[in-house]
Amino acid sequence: MTLHTLNRRTLLKTGAAGIGAAMLPFGLPRLAAAQEALTIGVVYVGAKDDFGWNQAHAVAMEILKATPNVTVVEEENVPETDACAKSMESMINIDGAKLILGTSFGYYTPFMLDLAAKYPDVAFRHAAPLWKDSDPANAGSYFCYLNQAHYVDGVAAGLSSASGKIGFVAAKPIPSVLSNINSVLLGARSVRPDATVQVIFTGDWSMPVREAEAANALVDAGCDVLTCHVDGPKVVIETAEARGVKSCGHNASQAPLAPKGFITGAEYKWETIYTMYADMLAKGEALPNVVVGGYHNDMVRNTAYGAGATPEAIAAADAAIAGLKEGKPIYVGPLKDNAGNVVIDKTYDNYDPYLDGMNYLLEGVIGSIT
Amino acid sequence: MDATANLPPQTRGLTVTARRAAETLAISLGSVALSALLFSVFLLLLGKSPVQFFQLVWTGGFGSAFSIQNTLQRSAPIILTALAFAIPAIIGLTMIGAEGALVLGGFVAAITALPLIAAGAPPLVLLPLAAAAAMVTGAALIMLVGWLRHARSVNETISSLLLTYIAIATMNFFVEGIFRDPASANKPSTMPWGKENMVGAIPGTDVHWGLVAGAVLAVALWLLMSRTTFGFAARVTGGNPRAARAQGLPVGSIILTCTALSGACAGLAGFFEVAAIHGQANASLVAGYGFTGILVSFLARQNPLAIVPIAIVFGAIEASGGLIQRRMGLPDATSALLQGLIFVMLLASDALYGRLPLFREREGA
Amino acid sequence: MMPEAALQTVLIAMLGGAIRVSTPYLFVALGETITEKSGRINLGLEGNLVLGAMVAYALSFHTGLPWLGVAGAFAAGLVLGLLHGTICSLPKVNDIAVGIALMSFGIGIAFFFGKPYIQPQAPRLEGLALGEWSSNPALRQALQINPLFFLGLVIAVALWWALANTRPGLILRMTGDSEPSARAMGVNPVRVRILATVLGGGLAGIGGSFLSLSYPGSWNEGLSSGQGLMAVALVIFARWNPLRCVWAALLFGAAGALGPALQSVGISQGYYFFNAAPYILTLFIMVASARSGVAAHAAPGELSIVK
C-alpha cells in the first residue's frame, strides 16, 4: 500500500479524474535532486523546539536533511503575515529554494497561493488539507488526520476513567480542534455511552497560565481524564499528573511527563510524508499535489500506553486502531450537536471533506464555540 | 567667539544645523558600531563568524532589489505605528495603545468594505471609505484614552495598554462570531474582499502603498508639529502642562487632537494590513507592530521625519533575520538580541549629545 | 441562573486563581513600586520576568535545587536592573525607552539560551498544603499555596512599613518626589535610583521563577504572555502603595481565573470577553475611582510618566 495510490479525499471530491490530477506531475518543476542539488525552504510559525506542533515537523524534517544532494534551510517564529511571504520569497531569491514547505495553517491563503502564481518553477507544499484543483498546479497540501488518534484516545480514556467525564483544554474553536474534541467524545462513547467531554477554550495557541487554570477548573468540575489541543501540551499533562488525574497527550509523546496517569496520546507521523517526499526527490520525481492520511497509511499513531491505561482500555484501543486501519468510520450518522440540531446526517468516510468544515460540538460535549 | 559668529544669521543657523546633523550621525553610527562590536564578541564566543553575520545583514536587508523591497515592506506599518506613539509623546503622553488601534481599525475597515463591495462600489470609492473607517476607529480609541486622561486623570499608559487587550478580544470575538466567513475554516476571518478590491503595489515594486502613506504622513506631521502654531502649542504643553494651562492654551483640545492623530495613524496601519496584505481581518493583525513602533519613535526622539529612516533600518534587521537563521543556524532570538543591544546603545548614546568636543558650540575663545 | 454548586465552583476557582496567578504580578509590581518610588520607571520588567523564569528553570534542572533557581532568577533580575539603572543615570537618557529596549534584550537572551530547557522537567517548588482540613478537593487544591506567595506578602508589608517609618524609606521617597530636596539632605539621587532599580529588577526575576517553578511550572517561550508589562501598569493602578499592589495582584489573578472557571460550569458564550476580564475590570475600576488630583497626589513627583 503506497501513499501515492491512497487519496480517497481527492477521489471523493472530484472522482477518478481527481486522482489523476493529484498524482500527475503536470505543470510541476522537475525536482531532479538525484542529479542536481536541491534546496528546500521550510517555514515554521513558532520555535522549532516548542515541544509541540513545530517540533513535530522539525524532528521529521531531519529525514529530508539526510537526503543526498538536498539542502534544507529553515526559519522559525515566522508570523502569518506578509512576513511569511517575504521569508519564502527570500528563500527562493537568495537561497535558490525550489521547494517550499509551509507548516502553519494561515500561510496558505493568500501568501503561498500568490507566491505559487508568481514563481511557477518553484513547488509549494502546505501542511493542511486546503489545495483545490483550481489552485496553482505547483502548489499542494499534505496533512495527517490526527483526529483518528484522538478517537483512540477517547476509547482508552472512556475505559480508564472512573467518572466518565473527560476534560479537554482547547485553543480555538476551529474545525481541526473541534474535530479532535468530537472524536474523543465518539471514541469514549463507543465504549461507554454515558461518557461526556467538557471543553474549555483558552482563546490562544500558547497561554500556559490559562491552560493551567483551565486544567484545574476541569478537574474541579469532576473530570478525571484530561487531554488537550494547544501548541505545547506540557502544562496540561503536568497539571493533570499533579492533580492525580489521568491524561492523554497531543502532538508528540508526553508519556515521560506523567508516569502515573498517562493513558496514551495522539501523535503525528509527518516523517511518513517527508520520507515519501525524500524518496521521490531522490528519484527525480515530481511531488503529488495532495497527500493526506491517517491510520490506514501510517500517518498518525498513538503513544505507547502508560500506567493510566487499564487492560480493558488497551484492548479496546488496539481494536479501535485495527478498525481505523481498515477504514472504519468515526462519524456514524445521524449525529446531533449539543444544541440538538442534526449536524451529521449520514455516515461519513474519515477523509470526507464535509468533515473539514466542522463547526459544532456534538451532543455529549459540554461547552460552546462562541 | 564662535568662528561662525561673523557670518550672516541665516548662514550661521545653517552651520549649526549641519553641525547638529553631523553630531547625530556620528553618535548614532558610533553606537551602532559599538553594538556590532559587542555582538561580534558574542558571536565569536559561540563559534560563529561575525563577518558572515554582518554580510548576511547586508545581503538580506539591502543586498538586492528584492532585499530592499523586503525591507521597505516590513518598515511600512512600523512608520505608522511609530508616528502613533510620537505625536502624543510630543505633548508628554506615553501612549502604548497603537497595537489596539491598529487591530480594531483594521477590523472595522474589513467589515465596512463588505456591504460596499456587495453594492458594487469601485475600489476608488471603497478604499478611501474603508481607510476613513479605520482611521476614525483608531482615533476614537486613542481619543478615549486622551479624554480619560484629561477629564478623569486616568493614567494614559495603563489605560491604553488595557484597551489594547480589550480591542484584541473584541476583534477575536467578532471574527470568530457574527462576522466570520464560514469558509475560513481553521483561520477564522471576516469575508475576503477579493484581490480586485485590494490596494495594489507601488508600480514597479512589490511594496504596498502603505509605505508612501507613512512617508507622506511623516512629512505632514513633522510640518504640523514643528512649523505651525498648533505644533508650538503642543510642544509647550509637552514641556510643561501647568505652564501651558496658565498661558491659556487649550490643553484639552490639544490632547484630543494629538490623540486623534495618533489613533488615525495606527488605524491607517491596520487598514493597509487588511487592504494590501490580508484582504480580510483575522488574528494575524495582532503582529506586534504597535509595540515595535514605540521603540522606533524613541530612537527618532519623536521626530516624525527621523522615524522613516529608523523604521527602514528596523525593517532591514527583520528582513535579514530569516537569512541569518537559515545560513548560520542561529535561532530566531538572535535578531531580538541584536535589536535589543543596538537600541540600548543608541538610547544610552543620548548622553553624549553636546559633550563631544568636535561638535560642541565653542564659546568665548 | 447559576445553580449554587456552580457558583461555589466558580468562587473556589477564583480564590485559587487569585493565589496561584497573582504571585508573579505581585513580585513585579512590588519591584516596580520600589523603582518608581525613586522617581524612575522601568517598563522592561517583562524582560526580567522572562529571563528569571528561564534561569530558575535551568538552574533547578541542572542542580535539582529549585530554591537555587529562585536565587538565580533574583540574581539575573538584579543584573538587568543594574543595566537599566546605570544606563538611565547617564544624562538625557529616557528611562521608558531603555526599559523597552532591555525588555527585548532580556527576552532575547532568555529565548536564546532557553531552547534546551523547553522539553525536560525540572524539580518544582513544593506548595504548602494548607487545605487538608477540607473535604472539598477543589478547595484543597486552591489552598495548596506556594511559599513564594507568602514571601511576596511579607515583602509587601515590610516595604509598606519601611517606606513610611525608616530612613532608607524616607530617602527613597524623597529622591522620587524631589531631586533637589534629596540633594539638600545630602543624598546622592543617582545612587538611590540605581539601587532601587537593581532591587526592583531582582524582585521581578523572582516573579519569573514562580512562573517556571511553581505555576504553571514549566519553561517555554509563551510562558509570560505580557504579565510583566501588565504588572508594571498595575503599580499605577495601585498608586505606588505596596499593600494596594497586593490587592491589585489578587484581583487581577481572580479575574484571570474567571474565564476558565465559567466555562467549566457551562457558561462559555463570549469567552473572549471573560478571558479579557482582568483588563476590563481594571479599566473600569480605574475610571470609576479616578478623581482629579488623588492619583497625581500619590505619584512620585520625579516620575517621567506622571509629569
Side-chain angles (χ1 to χ4, degrees):
Chain A
M1 193 154 64
T2 72
L3 285 160
H4 317 176
T5 54
L6 278 164
N7 206 316
R8 266 192 266 185
R9 197 180 117 83
T10 314
L11 179 67
L12 279 158
K13 235 168 30 174
T14 57
I19 285 273
M23 293 307 122
L24 287 173
F26 77 94
L28 275 178
R30 299 290 304 170
L31 299 171
Q35 292 79 36
E36 47 190 288
L38 169 73
T39 300
I40 303 175
V42 189
V43 186
Y44 306 94
V45 74
K48 276 189 293 188
D49 31 24
D50 65 349
F51 204 13
W53 168 264
N54 296 295
Q55 186 169 332
H57 278 283
V59 168
M61 211 63 78
E62 296 300 320
I63 288 163
L64 282 178
K65 287 187 189 166
T67 309
N69 281 335
V70 167
T71 311
V72 176
V73 293
E74 299 172 287
E75 258 186 66
E76 59 180 353
N77 277 330
V78 180
E80 293 174 346
T81 65
D82 55 331
C84 79
K86 289 295 173 194
S87 285
M88 293 171 186
E89 225 176 333
S90 174
M91 290 169 167
I92 297 166
N93 279 323
I94 300 179
D95 297 339
K98 288 287 172 198
L99 170 64
I100 298 288
L101 300 176
T103 62
S104 189
F105 190 89
Y107 290 164
Y108 193 67
T109 317
F111 307 111
M112 289 181 77
L113 282 179
D114 287 354
L115 287 177
K118 186 174 174 185
Y119 295 97
D121 62 340
V122 177
F124 294 83
R125 290 295 178 274
H126 177 250
L130 289 175
W131 187 83
K132 303 186 294 289
D133 293 336
S134 55
D135 288 346
N138 56 330
S141 299
Y142 61 99
F143 194 62
C144 307
Y145 277 82
L146 194 67
N147 73 305
Q148 298 183 11
H150 272 289
Y151 176 84
V152 177
D153 278 0
V155 171
L159 288 176
S160 301
S161 160
S163 67
K165 289 162 108 173
I166 299 165
F168 200 113
V169 180
K172 286 169 177 268
I174 57 173
S176 65
V177 177
L178 298 176
S179 169
N180 288 338
I181 299 169
N182 289 330
S183 296
V184 169
L185 176 89
L186 293 174
R189 290 217 155 167
S190 72
V191 293
R192 181 168 180 164
D194 67 336
T196 58
V197 172
Q198 182 161 10
V199 59
I200 291 184
F201 292 104
T202 61
D204 226 318
W205 291 108
S206 181
M207 276 277 173
V209 174
R210 206 178 286 152
E211 286 155 16
E213 277 301 299
N216 275 310
L218 287 168
V219 176
D220 291 345
C223 299
D224 63 358
V225 177
L226 293 190
T227 186
C228 62
H229 184 163
V230 293
D231 263 358
K234 194 178 175 197
V235 164
V236 173
I237 306 299
E238 285 180 337
T239 306
E241 185 78 355
R243 291 294 304 265
V245 302
K246 295 179 176 181
S247 53
C248 293
H250 173 77
N251 269 348
S253 171
Q254 280 97 32
L257 301 177
K260 289 198 294 256
F262 193 78
I263 300 173
T264 179
E267 291 183 48
Y268 292 101
K269 282 192 84 174
W270 298 114
E271 60 264 41
T272 307
I273 299 176
Y274 293 140
T275 308
M276 176 198 129
Y277 279 2
D279 288 347
M280 298 182 78
L281 294 172
K283 289 184 206 139
E285 293 171 23
L287 306 179
N289 286 96
V290 178
V291 182
V292 296
Y295 253 116
H296 79 274
N297 54 0
D298 196 30
M299 281 167 58
V300 298
R301 71 172 152 238
N302 274 81
T303 315
Y305 301 107
T310 60
E312 309 84 74
I314 293 174
D318 283 339
I321 291 173
L324 288 166
K325 284 184 175 166
E326 286 158 17
K328 194 175 164 217
I330 292 173
Y331 291 93
V332 179
L335 292 168
K336 287 180 183 165
D337 70 5
N338 62 5
N341 312 307
V342 175
V343 284
I344 293 185
D345 53 339
K346 59 183 176 74
T347 299
Y348 285 92
D349 180 87
N350 288 338
Y351 302 97
D352 195 304
Y354 173 73
L355 299 172
D356 289 345
M358 191 170 283
N359 61 350
Y360 39 79
L361 293 166
L362 292 176
E363 184 181 8
V365 179
I366 304 161
S368 146
I369 59 170
T370 49
Chain B
M1 272 309 256
D2 191 299
T4 56
N6 299 327
L7 297 170
Q10 267 181 328
T11 323
R12 184 166 180 260
L14 203 67
T15 331
V16 171
T17 315
R19 189 190 289 150
R20 290 243 174 88
E23 183 184 23
T24 308
L25 200 65
I27 292 180
S28 305
L29 290 180
S31 40
V32 171
L34 190 61
S35 341
L37 200 67
L38 278 175
F39 196 74
S40 304
V41 174
F42 176 74
L43 286 175
L44 286 172
L45 288 176
L46 292 171
K48 304 276 180 183
S49 155
V51 178
Q52 188 192 7
F53 182 89
F54 290 106
Q55 269 173 353
L56 289 176
V57 171
W58 176 257
T59 313
F62 302 102
S64 64
F66 166 75
S67 294
I68 291 171
Q69 293 179 35
N70 187 356
T71 295
L72 291 176
Q73 172 104 336
R74 287 172 196 261
S75 65
I78 302 171
I79 294 175
L80 286 166
T81 54
L83 289 171
F85 182 82
I87 303 303
I90 291 173
I91 56 166
L93 298 183
T94 307
M95 200 69 84
I96 54 180
E99 181 86 358
L102 182 156
V103 168
L104 213 56
F107 165 67
V108 170
I111 56 167
T112 307
L114 294 176
L116 296 168
I117 292 172
L124 271 180
V125 176
L126 164 81
L127 291 173
L129 283 174
M135 290 168 82
V136 168
T137 307
L141 191 78
I142 306 296
M143 274 173 91
L144 173 65
V145 176
W147 177 79
L148 284 173
R149 164 66 196 241
H150 182 65
R152 309 276 302 170
S153 294
V154 176
N155 180 280
E156 78 283 359
T157 310
I158 170 165
S159 64
S160 59
L161 180 64
L162 292 168
L163 276 171
T164 292
Y165 287 115
I166 296 169
I168 293 170
T170 308
M171 187 271 297
N172 277 323
F173 175 77
F174 284 118
V175 165
E176 290 187 10
I178 55 173
F179 288 108
R180 177 172 182 171
D181 167 18
S184 65
N186 283 321
K187 173 113 189 186
S189 308
T190 58
M191 297 289 289
W193 289 10
K195 280 267 178 288
E196 64 285 3
N197 291 313
M198 288 171 63
V199 172
I202 302 167
T205 72
D206 268 344
V207 186
H208 66 71
W209 284 97
L211 179 75
V212 174
V216 168
L217 268 174
V219 174
L221 288 171
W222 175 75
L223 285 172
L224 177 72
M225 298 314 274
S226 62
R227 292 286 184 273
T228 66
T229 328
F230 173 81
F232 179 72
R235 278 178 289 137
V236 171
T237 310
N240 188 340
R242 273 179 216 128
R245 242 181 233 116
Q247 284 173 28
L249 288 175
V251 173
S253 63
I254 290 174
I255 289 179
L256 290 183
T257 311
C258 288
T259 47
L261 288 171
S262 154
C265 288
L268 191 64
F271 164 78
F272 278 109
E273 284 303 295
V274 168
I277 292 169
H278 298 288
Q280 55 192 178
N282 56 41
S284 291
L285 287 176
V286 189
Y289 296 132
F291 294 110
T292 310
I294 300 174
L295 260 182
V296 170
S297 172
F298 265 118
L299 292 180
R301 284 186 265 139
Q302 340 300 3
N303 178 339
L305 280 188
I307 281 174
V308 178
I310 291 175
I312 290 173
V313 170
F314 193 93
I317 297 180
E318 294 269 291
S320 57
L323 189 63
I324 287 156
Q325 279 190 47
R326 272 137 50 197
R327 292 284 172 83
M328 298 184 70
L330 286 167
D332 163 65
T334 318
S335 292
L337 247 174
L338 177 64
Q339 270 169 30
L341 197 62
I342 293 179
F343 287 143
V344 171
M345 287 292 168
L346 275 171
L347 292 165
S349 75
D350 279 357
L352 293 175
Y353 285 90
R355 299 187 150 221
L356 297 180
L358 189 60
F359 305 106
R360 199 179 291 164
E361 190 124 1
R362 281 171 296 268
E363 281 168 40
Chain C
M1 254 351 297
M2 212 190 282
E4 212 168 293
L7 186 64
Q8 190 192 341
T9 307
V10 172
L11 288 178
I12 290 177
M14 287 178 72
L15 169 74
I19 295 168
R20 289 189 294 251
V21 181
S22 65
T23 309
Y25 289 107
L26 180 59
F27 274 93
V28 178
L30 290 174
E32 184 68 11
T33 301
I34 300 176
T35 307
E36 291 192 17
K37 274 284 180 190
S38 79
R40 189 167 281 159
I41 182 163
N42 182 358
L43 212 53
L45 290 187
E46 171 82 5
N48 299 44
L49 187 83
V50 173
L51 185 62
M54 191 282 285
V55 169
Y57 202 76
L59 274 177
S60 176
F61 173 70
H62 284 300
T63 65
L65 302 169
W67 284 103
L68 189 69
V70 177
F74 182 62
L78 290 179
V79 172
L80 275 187
L82 183 65
L83 270 175
H84 186 276
T86 356
I87 293 170
C88 293
S89 297
L90 300 169
K92 294 189 217 169
V93 176
N94 182 294
D95 50 358
I96 297 179
V98 172
I100 299 176
L102 278 176
M103 176 158 74
S104 165
F105 184 69
I107 294 175
I109 294 186
F111 286 6
F112 193 96
F113 292 104
K115 299 276 179 202
Y117 304 106
I118 297 174
Q119 200 152 335
Q121 270 185 305
R124 298 202 214 180
L125 295 169
E126 291 300 323
L128 307 170
L130 301 178
E132 294 304 311
W133 49 270
S134 169
S135 59
N136 182 334
L139 193 60
R140 278 214 299 275
Q141 171 63 21
L143 293 177
Q144 180 88 18
I145 300 176
N146 193 281
L148 279 179
F149 174 71
F150 294 109
L151 180 66
L153 293 185
V154 170
I155 293 176
V157 175
L159 184 60
W160 169 75
W161 181 81
L163 278 173
N165 297 305
T166 65
R167 187 171 159 77
L170 176 72
I171 291 174
L172 185 67
R173 280 186 295 129
M174 185 72 82
T175 311
D177 281 334
S178 161
E179 196 173 317
S181 326
R183 284 194 194 279
M185 266 175 71
V187 171
N188 178 353
V190 172
R191 197 182 301 158
V192 173
R193 286 186 184 142
I194 292 179
L195 275 175
T197 314
V198 169
L199 197 56
L203 287 183
I206 296 182
S209 72
F210 180 88
L211 281 177
S212 62
L213 294 180
S214 174
Y215 194 79
S218 193
W219 159 251
N220 68 55
E221 296 183 3
L223 184 61
S224 153
S225 54
Q227 292 184 49
L229 197 59
M230 197 55 230
V232 171
L234 282 182
V235 176
I236 305 166
F237 176 66
R239 297 200 196 121
W240 300 273
N241 178 330
L243 295 188
R244 283 213 204 96
C245 284
V246 176
W247 294 122
L250 286 173
L251 184 76
F252 211 76
L258 186 66
L262 282 177
Q263 284 192 59
S264 79
V265 298
I267 301 173
S268 49
Q269 298 264 322
Y271 67 93
Y272 269 110
F273 287 110
F274 291 130
N275 285 341
Y279 312 112
I280 299 170
L281 191 69
T282 311
L283 185 65
F284 180 76
I285 295 177
M286 278 187 77
V287 173
S289 68
R291 266 162 274 122
S292 293
V294 177
H297 216 70
E302 294 279 329
L303 212 55
S304 53
I305 56 162
V306 294
K307 263 187 183 167

